[in-house]
Amino acid sequence: MRFNLKVIGDILGILLLINGGFMALCLPISLYYGEHDWIAILTSSLVTLGSGFLLRYLTRNKKSKELKKKDGYLIVTAGWIFMSIFGALPYIISGSIPNFTDAFFETISGYTTTGASILTDIEAVPNGILFWRSLTQWIGGMGIIVLALAILPFLGIGGMQLFVAEAPGITPDKLQPRIQETAKRLWFLYVGLTLAEAIALYVAGMGPFDAINHSLTTMATGGFSTKNDSLQFVDPVIQYIVIFFMFLAGTSFTLTYFGLKRNFKKVFKNEEFLVYLTFTAVITVIVTVTLLVVNDKPFENSFRDALFQVVSLITTTGFVSADYTSWTPFLSVLFFILLFVGGSAGSTAGGVKVIRHVVLFKNSFLELKRQLHPSAVMPVRISGKAVEQSIVYNVLAFIMIYILVFLVGVTLLSSMNVDFDTAFGAVATSLGNVGPGIGDVGPLNNFAGMPTAGKWLLSALMLLGRLELFTVLMLLSPHFWRKR
């Protein structure tokens, strides 16, 4: 099968133009605070915009805008890599992260909303660069392709191929028949919730710059903070606001849309949401009780720490309110397991996703019944509806490949003289797009000490996790590159 290279190049050029435009938004921040880094930001923006224009110029006079599935997968994977390469320019040119490996790691960690950082002193980084760092997560949260579909209607032809290749979850929910309308509504909702959280944080006492940055990275379930201590020492009211919006960001945006439309019946009939809500509540109770037993802290403090960290890890946001690895070995193991949960399909959260776990467990229990009644037809049902067998196979394949990639990643990282706990934590948190892990990459540490090869491996795992394995792995298959 031949690729439509002209259209692929054209769309990649458009993505670079969007990227360069977002970089330019950091200029006023840098100028307002009187920082010299505005030159680096301006240069990065112009280089990215110029590259986008050049790419579009070289792919002009395209005869067809038709995109097939293979084109979509190639555009999405290449698009995220291109974005990360050019997105690293502000760090490199400003000198905030002069090493390309570290700059690329920080950038792809931002776009994939992983939140793993190599910065040892975040507060020493200029505000303009910090704002760009937060913007990378906000852009990546909803997805750069979805943004392109929302603001560039002429990408409608073949647009669904891009949406399917990038949108998280088993099947992307559509709010409207036209894919552009779906993308627009998702982004309007995303922007609205981001503004709502920024206002709430500001009213609660957080400074305007910090409020904006934390709202950008909360709704993206990214977890980049402007403070070295993340959200450990902020007012409890601020922590509760962040908890609420983290939970909301880990919920399907389609359900949030219906909730804002006061269609609560549809929300509470959604089985994935009920499991997500119940699981969060149960784990929070377990952690709270454990903390009350082993610590002398008051109930409210223990409950808040438990709720914050449980929601932060389940939604793959990665904000930190306490060092959960110092609590008890039991809780350390429990939180490690949470790295593999993930939020809802159709949210900005990473990880395996709740819906896949539901399908897996339901199919496993049904398999026991099928052994007793081999002739019976017993489909997996979600929210009362039968799930197609092809989707069940997809889920089983995804989880098997996810485990395989995890094990291969741990093996490779361990071969680079990274200790066992750190290798497990780093690979799990990178593949799940969470941020903090265990070992030397725990909640109060970072990834600066990782070997160079390890950073590139973890960067690849972040991309694999964000695009949910198949989109990237498909490009490694010889079958993908055949003409038929």
Side-chain angles (χ1 to χ4, degrees):
M1 177 181 177
R2 295 179 179 178
F3 296 97
N4 196 333
L5 295 180
K6 288 205 176 274
V7 178
I8 291 172
D10 184 53
I11 294 177
L12 291 177
I14 291 169
L15 296 181
L16 291 181
L17 291 177
I18 295 173
N19 208 22
F22 273 109
M23 283 182 193
L25 295 179
C26 304
L27 272 174
I29 302 294
S30 190
L31 292 171
Y32 175 80
Y33 286 100
E35 298 166 342
H36 68 277
D37 295 89
W38 69 268
I39 299 174
I41 294 172
L42 177 61
T43 303
S44 302
S45 177
L46 291 176
V47 169
T48 306
L49 288 170
S51 300
F53 278 119
L54 178 62
L55 195 52
R56 294 208 69 198
Y57 175 78
L58 294 175
T59 56
R60 68 194 188 284
N61 299 326
K62 48 193 174 295
K63 296 180 180 179
S64 171
K65 291 184 180 179
E66 182 184 357
L67 288 176
K68 296 196 168 55
K69 280 189 177 181
K70 289 189 176 183
D71 295 324
Y73 290 124
L74 187 59
I75 287 171
V76 169
T77 303
W80 281 75
I81 294 173
F82 270 56
M83 294 282 287
S84 298
I85 292 172
F86 283 88
L89 291 178
Y91 297 122
I92 297 170
I93 297 175
S94 68
S96 299
I97 309 178
N99 180 277
F100 177 71
T101 295
D102 287 346
F104 184 86
F105 181 93
E106 194 79 13
T107 307
I108 201 165
S109 176
Y111 282 124
T112 59
T113 72
T114 304
S117 180
I118 53 83
L119 292 173
T120 54
D121 187 2
I122 297 169
E123 294 172 37
V125 177
N127 288 325
I129 301 298
L130 282 181
F131 187 64
W132 170 242
R133 183 169 175 261
S134 299
L135 266 181
T136 58
Q137 289 204 324
W138 192 74
I139 297 167
M142 184 59 68
I144 188 64
I145 300 293
V146 177
L147 174 60
L149 291 172
I151 64 178
L152 298 167
F154 62 84
L155 285 182
I157 302 176
M160 192 61 192
Q161 308 300 345
L162 301 179
F163 191 76
V164 169
E166 182 184 68
I170 295 175
T171 53
D173 293 313
K174 293 176 67 177
L175 303 179
Q176 295 293 319
R178 288 173 57 84
I179 192 64
Q180 292 90 353
E181 291 302 316
T182 296
K184 285 178 183 177
R185 286 173 184 265
L186 287 173
W187 267 93
F188 278 134
L189 182 60
Y190 191 50
V191 172
L193 291 174
T194 303
L195 289 174
E197 185 188 358
I199 293 170
L201 290 174
Y202 177 72
V203 171
M206 186 177 274
F209 181 75
D210 291 336
I212 292 170
N213 278 272
H214 283 92
S215 65
L216 290 171
T217 57
T218 301
M219 288 313 303
T221 62
F224 273 160
S225 176
T226 54
K227 303 297 181 184
N228 291 326
D229 297 317
S230 190
L231 292 171
Q232 288 187 82
F233 305 112
V234 298
D235 191 275
V237 175
I238 291 176
Q239 289 188 348
Y240 279 118
I241 290 172
V242 173
I243 288 169
F244 173 77
F245 281 97
M246 282 194 297
F247 184 83
L248 202 60
T251 305
S252 168
F253 274 72
T254 303
L255 283 188
T256 302
Y257 175 82
F258 287 130
L260 293 174
K261 288 284 188 178
R262 298 184 181 179
N263 191 349
F264 300 113
K265 185 177 180 181
K266 192 154 189 171
V267 173
F268 289 103
K269 275 193 171 184
N270 184 279
E271 191 169 347
E272 181 187 26
F273 176 74
L274 293 177
V275 171
Y276 171 55
L277 179 63
T278 304
F279 183 77
T280 302
V282 170
I283 299 299
T284 299
V285 170
I286 292 173
V287 176
T288 302
V289 171
T290 306
L291 289 178
L292 288 173
V293 171
V294 300
N295 291 336
D296 296 327
K297 291 183 178 180
F299 171 79
E300 189 279 329
N301 196 302
S302 297
F303 170 74
R304 177 162 38 87
D305 279 346
L307 181 62
F308 189 101
Q309 287 308 145
V310 169
V311 173
S312 180
L313 291 181
I314 289 176
T315 62
T316 71
T317 305
F319 279 133
V320 175
S321 67
D323 182 8
Y324 56 79
T325 59
S326 67
W327 288 345
T328 68
F330 164 70
L331 291 182
S332 293
V333 173
L334 182 61
F335 284 131
F336 176 74
I337 293 172
L338 294 185
L339 297 179
F340 294 89
V341 177
S344 304
S347 70
T348 58
V352 175
K353 300 291 189 304
V354 173
I355 189 64
R356 288 196 177 99
H357 290 293
V358 174
V359 171
L360 175 66
F361 281 107
K362 284 199 169 191
N363 185 68
S364 299
F365 285 122
L366 280 176
E367 195 59 39
L368 296 176
K369 292 184 179 180
R370 292 183 188 121
Q371 294 299 316
L372 296 173
H373 309 282
S375 300
V377 178
M378 291 178 283
V380 175
R381 293 185 178 275
I382 302 293
S383 301
K385 296 180 180 179
V387 178
E388 293 179 15
Q389 196 62 34
S390 61
I391 293 179
V392 176
Y393 292 149
N394 180 286
V395 169
L396 296 177
F398 178 90
I399 292 176
M400 286 299 297
I401 295 174
Y402 195 95
I403 295 171
L404 179 61
V405 170
F406 170 73
L407 293 175
V408 171
V410 170
T411 303
L412 291 174
L413 198 58
S414 298
S415 70
M416 302 172 193
N417 292 322
V418 175
D419 68 87
F420 185 76
D421 287 348
T422 302
F424 260 68
V427 172
T429 196
S430 297
L431 189 58
N433 302 137
V434 182
I438 58 174
D440 292 340
V441 293
L444 299 187
N445 301 312
N446 58 37
F447 289 71
M450 280 286 157
T452 299
K455 289 172 183 173
W456 285 107
L457 171 64
L458 296 176
S459 295
L461 292 175
M462 290 180 207
L463 185 63
L464 272 169
R466 174 59 181 83
L467 297 182
E468 306 215 325
L469 303 181
F470 294 128
T471 299
V472 179
L473 293 178
M474 207 171 293
L475 271 64
L476 302 179
S477 167
H479 179 73
F480 180 85
W481 300 99
R482 292 174 187 166
K483 291 186 178 181
R484 292 188 62 186

